Amino acid sequence: MIDAVGNPQSLLLLGGTSEIGLAIVDRFAGQRPLRVVLAARPSERLDEAAERLRAKGCTVSTLAFDARRPETHEEVVGKAFSDGDIDVTVVAFGVLGEAERAWQDVEHARELAEVNFVAPVTVGVALANRLRQQGHGAVVALSSVAGERVRRSNFVYGSTKAGIDGFYLGLGEALKPHGVQVTVVRPGFVHTKMTKGMKAAPLAAQPEQVAEIAVTAVRRRQDLVWAPGAWRFVMSVLRHIPRAIFRKLPI
Amino acid sequence: MPEKLGRLTGWGRTAPTTARILERADRAELADVVRAADGRGVIPRGLGRSYGDASQNAGGLVLDMTAFDQIHHVDTETGIVTVDAGVSLDKLMRQMLPHGLWIPVLPGTRQVTIGGAIAADIHGKNHHVEGSFCNHVLAIELLTADGEIRTVTPDGPGSELFWATAGGMGLTGVVLRATVQLKSVESAYFLVDTERTRDLDDLMSRLMDNDDQYTYSVAWFDAASTGAKMGRAVLTRGWSAKLDDLPAKLRNDPLKFNAPQLATVPPVFPSGLLNKLTVSAFNEVWYRKAPKERRGEVQNITQFFHPLDIVGEWNRVYGPRGFLQYQYAVPYGAEDTVRKSMEIISSGGAVSFLNVLKRFGAANGGPLSFPMPGWTLAVDIPITDDLGPLLDKLDQLVLEAGGRLYLAKDSRLTADAFRSMYPRLAEWQKVRDAVDPRGVFNSDLSRRLML
Ligand SMILES: Cc1cc2nc3c(=O)[nH]c(=O)nc-3n(C[C@H](O)[C@H](O)[C@H](O)COP(=O)(O)OP(=O)(O)OC[C@H]3O[C@@H](n4cnc5c(N)ncnc54)[C@H](O)[C@@H]3O)c2cc1C
Ligand SMILES: NC(=O)c1ccc[n+]([C@@H]2O[C@H](COP(=O)([O-])OP(=O)(O)OC[C@H]3O[C@@H](n4cnc5c(N)ncnc54)[C@H](OP(=O)(O)O)[C@@H]3O)[C@@H](O)[C@H]2O)c1
């Protein structure tokens, strides 16, 4: 159960090696160790993450999860709930891809679409079924400011993020009567392995900052937050710029 | 049977979850739903006045017991009554006063049910001399997980189940009816001594000095002041007034139910209104308005027992994030813990205006019953981002002093801390496992505390 001050007892991280996702787990565990299920493709990185959390006093199990195999998602989610209620689920897997290749190479485009949109939808529906039975819980979905107004420079990624954003906002509305809170988090540029080697964009943040914002939002039962918070205002301006001008912006 | 999906919270309005709520059923139907319970289980609910998650059951079934509201039998000679579990103390008081009968244990609100009073083994301002609610219960009719109805009493066969139910938070079964020994009184008024104390030492020494002369005793302390003024308090203590104590104009109708309620807080209350400043001001005014010392004042029920009932549904003033009550008990000798905790609360930026300190008397046989001989302190605190760590620190203090938190108020304790606070838990667990091997009775609280 999530208690009155917002401490969960159990957490499922889909994308169990995501740096932002793990920072969120750390943030919760920092106040109270909890039971954690890491769902990811088996790898050394995954084992290391599990070990690190155990050292912090968490009870950790791992679960094989491949975002590109949607036919397995219902089963994966089922396994994640087999040891009891899941209080918080973080949907953190994703790929950035190579922007120019993604709109010209069918296979690459398909990878982005499947990992960033199809999989969040299939796990989302499986998750929702469980959470409705459970009558409580919180879901954190990592969207992106890139999906809020899709730009020419990375529109395949941006459009998949627009998709996940819309889906989880809607899912949040659908699940409200069932006692489930969905929080959509829209980060800007975050220093993680996903953006390694790229030039940092304005308002660049560390995963810990995003985690702090996400955890506070769960505790406050908020539907939508930006990370850092200033993005909310930047995006509200960008959203209203006419296409003719937007097109010419160096972003 | 009318069943609906509903979002439930406790009085603190935190941690909402959704359950199927069974609003009206007869005994046979209740037995059927208990027998047919699925994995998420069943929990009874009274008037939802526990602060946290005790009468919630996410994804499961919640039995609204308030429809069981009959007073079945009253023996005006002996003061013994048999009542349904859903009868509120408010209703019982109104109906019993004309007979000169008084409820032996009254909490800070009358809006609690008999079932809730037993399940939390509630205490009142007279605990130091008269014990908690279940000390006055003669028999309980309990619907258990097997669908059977048993009558259990404090002594003799079945007494273990009686005491596991006292303070058992609805996890041993559904209380259907109870037989309660009431007290006889000459009036519905109280003879009250009021004293203002300078600081915590002054308060505690007065309480140690002569508390046992009074039937009722409680101290409201200022939780906003730090330093030398910390723990300054208004101490009110008294007795049930005898006919001779009353002024002539009250003597005509001494048993009149005199408990005015003035206003209800609107549903949308700006949460910013309660802040450090307004609460400090409130604490100051409350302290100042009390006389330095006044003896033998006659007070009515609301004045003496339920000053907060003047404003109905005051829980809304805390805004949408809700609030909690932190209440602990520590044994005598842990005065330092009381002082330290008060320091942490007053200086930690927590804003509280319902701050109570009182002495507890002897404990009873309930392994999960909260009261223990010593001090109990309670503060109401709105939820903020930093509250969790602050209270975790307080838990540690309470634990080290051999104390415990009150489940009827708790909404955030960990299973580990709970286990250390209630050393008789294993005893309770044994009775519960025997009476409910399938684990039918479940609540958000039982899941949180892994009971
Ligand atoms: C303003 C205020 C002041 C208070 N002051 C005090 C005080 O001074 N002293 C004190 O001790 N408490 C106090 N309380 C707490 C309150 O007395 C308890 O929480 C009480 O249990 C509430 O009863 P309820 O009928 O509202 O039950 P609920 O809050 O609905 O349920 C409380 C527990 O009782 C169980 N329960 C309810 N009905 C039944 C039943 N029929 N059979 C089995 N289990 C059942 C529930 O499962 C749950 O575990 C106060 C609360 C408020 C809001
Ligand atoms: N970093 C940013 O600037 C930024 C900005 C806005 C939004 N976001 C979003 O935030 C989320 C987390 O990103 P991050 O920054 O933490 O990056 P990250 O560390 O690279 O995490 C992404 C994770 O997704 C997993 N993944 C990729 N393909 C998968 C597949 N087919 N099956 C299962 N897992 C797969 C990867 O796991 P493996 O270990 O198996 O590779 C990786 O650990 C993503 O959704 C991202 O789009 C990031």
Side-chain angles (χ1 to χ4, degrees):
Chain A
M1 304 302 307
I2 300 179
D3 74 8
V5 291
N7 293 315
Q9 291 173 290
S10 58
L11 185 149
L12 163 63
L13 176 58
L14 288 154
T17 51
S18 145
E19 287 183 41
I20 296 176
L22 287 168
I24 292 175
V25 182
D26 279 342
R27 181 94 197 159
F28 277 121
Q31 189 164 340
R32 281 186 187 173
L34 66 173
R35 184 169 66 83
V36 181
V37 183
L38 299 178
R41 293 180 290 194
S43 69
E44 235 166 70
R45 202 157 46 212
L46 176 62
D47 298 338
E48 277 164 24
E51 261 331 296
R52 211 176 42 77
L53 286 170
R54 283 188 192 110
K56 290 188 162 193
C58 294
T59 307
V60 187
S61 59
T62 59
L63 201 57
F65 164 63
D66 186 343
R68 297 198 71 183
R69 294 184 55 208
E71 70 283 2
T72 63
H73 289 173
E74 197 151 24
E75 193 193 328
V76 170
V77 169
K79 279 189 191 151
F81 281 73
S82 63
D83 285 336
D85 288 9
I86 295 287
D87 300 336
V88 177
T89 306
V90 182
V91 181
F93 54 88
V95 284
L96 185 57
E98 294 164 42
E100 285 310 302
R101 188 154 75 84
W103 74 271
Q104 300 178 73
D105 172 345
V106 171
E107 261 318 303
H108 193 41
R110 183 172 155 195
E111 182 191 354
L112 262 69
E114 285 182 357
V115 176
N116 294 351
F117 183 64
V118 174
V121 170
T122 48
V123 298
V125 172
L127 203 55
N129 288 337
R130 288 289 169 160
L131 293 175
R132 263 188 318 174
Q133 283 168 20
Q134 189 177 277
H136 74 103
V139 178
V140 177
L142 286 163
S143 166
S144 167
V145 295
E148 193 164 354
R149 181 147 189 193
V150 177
R151 294 162 293 150
R152 159 67 185 83
S153 58
N154 70 348
F155 67 90
V156 178
Y157 176 77
S159 62
T160 61
K161 285 297 180 186
I164 183 179
D165 196 285
F167 176 80
Y168 278 91
L169 284 177
L171 192 66
E173 297 302 325
L175 286 176
K176 263 203 172 71
H178 299 277
V180 179
Q181 170 66 43
V182 178
T183 301
V184 171
V185 181
R186 292 180 185 159
F189 185 101
V190 187
H191 291 283
T192 65
K193 61 184 185 287
M194 182 178 275
T195 53
K196 200 160 178 223
M198 292 172 61
K199 196 171 138 273
L203 296 175
Q206 297 298 331
E208 294 74 25
Q209 287 169 271
V210 179
E212 184 178 348
I213 290 168
V215 167
T216 303
V218 169
R219 296 204 163 126
R220 294 180 182 170
R221 297 196 290 272
Q222 284 171 297
D223 298 336
L224 175 62
V225 289
W226 286 259
W231 271 112
R232 174 179 194 161
F233 305 101
V234 174
M235 288 315 300
S236 113
V237 172
L238 285 183
R239 256 199 337 263
H240 292 97
I241 294 176
R243 291 204 73 78
I245 301 171
F246 187 72
R247 179 177 299 139
K248 295 190 185 120
L249 291 179
I251 51 174
Chain B
M1 283 173 279
E3 202 181 283
K4 62 162 198 207
L5 202 64
R7 184 176 181 271
L8 293 173
T9 69
W11 182 246
R13 305 169 80 225
T14 52
T17 62
T18 297
R20 288 173 293 123
I21 305 168
L22 182 63
E23 290 189 308
R24 187 167 279 280
D26 59 30
R27 288 174 158 230
E29 288 168 331
L30 277 192
D32 285 344
V33 299
V34 165
R35 262 190 228 108
D38 67 11
R40 305 287 309 172
V42 179
I43 198 75
R45 180 175 175 97
L47 281 162
R49 252 53 174 195
S50 48
Y51 276 66
D53 47 6
S55 56
Q56 294 169 228
N57 183 19
L61 191 62
V62 171
L63 311 175
D64 178 349
M65 295 301 293
T66 56
F68 290 82
D69 64 349
Q70 296 301 307
I71 297 173
H72 292 280
H73 186 258
V74 185
D75 185 332
T76 52
E77 285 300 303
T78 59
I80 294 175
V81 294
T82 299
V83 291
D84 277 346
V87 171
S88 72
L89 298 189
D90 185 68
K91 174 173 174 168
L92 189 60
M93 181 189 279
R94 286 168 198 262
Q95 308 228 348
M96 293 304 110
L97 259 180
H99 304 295
L101 292 175
W102 185 253
I103 299 172
V105 171
L106 277 176
T109 172
R110 290 186 304 274
Q111 300 305 328
V112 311
T113 63
I114 292 288
I118 291 173
D121 190 23
I122 61 171
H123 57 271
K125 302 197 324 180
N126 55 347
H127 188 275
H128 60 297
V129 286
E130 297 184 323
S132 49
F133 197 83
C134 293
N135 291 31
H136 308 269
V137 176
L138 305 177
I140 295 171
E141 264 182 49
L142 191 70
L143 168 64
T144 47
D146 52 10
E148 302 297 315
I149 296 171
R150 317 165 185 219
T151 300
V152 291
T153 55
D155 308 294
S159 65
E160 277 172 351
L161 187 51
F162 177 96
W163 288 111
T165 303
M169 303 311 282
L171 296 169
T172 58
V174 185
V175 175
L176 295 175
R177 267 185 211 182
T179 304
V180 183
Q181 173 72 62
L182 303 182
K183 288 193 348 178
S184 58
V185 289
E186 289 184 22
S187 85
Y189 294 87
F190 299 87
L191 212 54
V192 183
D193 288 352
T194 305
E195 298 157 68
R196 235 164 54 179
T197 74
R198 283 186 314 276
D199 54 27
L200 187 60
D201 284 338
D202 187 18
L203 171 62
M204 286 181 140
S205 71
R206 286 186 205 220
L207 282 169
M208 284 313 279
D209 210 29
N210 59 354
D211 220 23
D212 291 349
Q213 296 175 10
Y214 296 92
T215 316
Y216 300 102
S217 159
V218 75
W220 169 91
F221 67 90
D222 172 356
S225 292
T226 48
K229 285 197 277 184
M230 194 184 81
R232 65 178 184 171
V234 180
L235 180 56
T236 52
R237 300 187 285 184
W239 307 267
S240 174
K242 301 253 187 293
L243 213 50
D244 291 346
D245 298 327
L246 298 183
K249 72 174 193 324
L250 294 181
R251 234 174 274 174
N252 296 330
D253 193 2
L255 292 167
K256 181 174 169 211
F257 177 77
N258 188 355
Q261 179 175 331
L262 298 181
T264 298
V265 177
V268 191
F269 194 87
S271 52
L273 222 66
L274 256 202
N275 55 41
K276 190 89 189 155
L277 211 72
T278 50
V279 170
S280 292
F282 177 90
N283 276 267
E284 184 74 32
V285 167
W286 190 283
Y287 181 75
R288 293 274 160 222
K289 89 169 179 42
K292 228 179 175 136
E293 182 166 333
R294 185 172 55 200
R295 304 271 165 193
E297 185 196 6
V298 174
Q299 292 191 350
N300 67 27
I301 299 168
T302 301
Q303 284 169 311
F304 188 55
F305 271 101
H306 308 116
L308 282 168
D309 279 2
I310 285 274
V311 184
E313 308 204 14
W314 52 266
N315 59 338
R316 290 178 182 158
V317 306
Y318 286 101
R321 283 188 82 183
F323 70 114
L324 55 76
Q325 182 167 104
Y326 193 80
Q327 180 173 8
Y328 68 72
V330 290
Y332 291 118
E335 287 72 25
D336 244 16
T337 302
V338 176
R339 171 179 309 283
K340 256 192 231 142
S341 68
M342 233 183 232
E343 264 163 26
I344 293 177
I345 293 162
S346 318
S347 60
V351 288
S352 171
F353 67 85
L354 192 118
N355 327 303
V356 164
L357 183 73
K358 98 159 249 94
R359 283 174 64 242
F360 272 155
N364 65 22
L368 295 192
S369 170
F370 166 65
M372 57 168 11
W375 302 96
T376 183
L377 177 145
V379 285
D380 271 14
I381 314 178
I383 307 294
T384 56
D385 291 339
D386 329 306
L387 186 58
L390 182 110
L391 297 182
D392 286 352
K393 210 157 79 185
L394 286 180
D395 290 351
Q396 213 43 48
L397 267 183
V398 171
L399 249 176
E400 281 160 16
R404 53 172 70 141
L405 299 204
Y406 185 17
L407 288 187
K409 310 285 177 73
D410 173 50
S411 53
R412 45 152 295 283
L413 200 57
T414 63
D416 282 346
F418 171 72
R419 231 166 266 143
S420 323
M421 287 177 178
Y422 285 83
R424 294 179 61 196
L425 177 61
E427 219 177 293
W428 179 85
Q429 198 84 52
K430 209 176 128 204
V431 180
R432 191 225 189 178
D433 289 348
V435 73
D436 184 8
R438 277 199 301 140
V440 166
F441 292 101
N442 276 303
S443 62
D444 289 1
L445 177 141
S446 75
R447 271 187 286 269
R448 176 166 59 82
L449 298 178
M450 300 180 184
L451 287 175

